[in-house]
Amino acid sequence: MTAEDQPRAALSGRVALCVECKTLTRAPVPVRWIQGTSGPGTTLYACPDHAVKLGAGPTPDDVIRNR
């Protein structure tokens, strides 16, 4: 039996993929927000170790809107 044959375990709670190391983290830190062209934007997350290196980027609350 290979790993592909095994049923996948359900991950409960908040889980995200780190944009730097590409691993799943259970403590995601939002580091970037990308405005979508035809829909809502996307938030990118990092693990706590890489969040310090990447720094906090713009979030939806940081976007300057023209009035």
Side-chain angles (χ1 to χ4, degrees):
M1 185 177 274
T2 64
E4 289 82 25
D5 298 333
Q6 296 290 330
R8 294 196 174 192
L11 297 173
S12 61
R14 192 169 165 192
V15 178
L17 188 70
C18 175
V19 296
E20 185 71 19
C21 63
K22 309 292 190 252
T23 59
L24 287 177
T25 177
R26 291 186 181 269
V29 178
V31 291
R32 297 285 182 273
W33 183 71
I34 302 170
Q35 175 64 46
T37 57
S38 63
T42 301
T43 303
L44 301 178
Y45 296 93
C47 62
D49 293 334
H50 289 117
V52 174
K53 174 186 167 192
L54 296 171
T59 63
D61 297 331
D62 296 334
V63 175
I64 299 172
R65 302 193 194 304
N66 293 332
R67 294 182 185 218

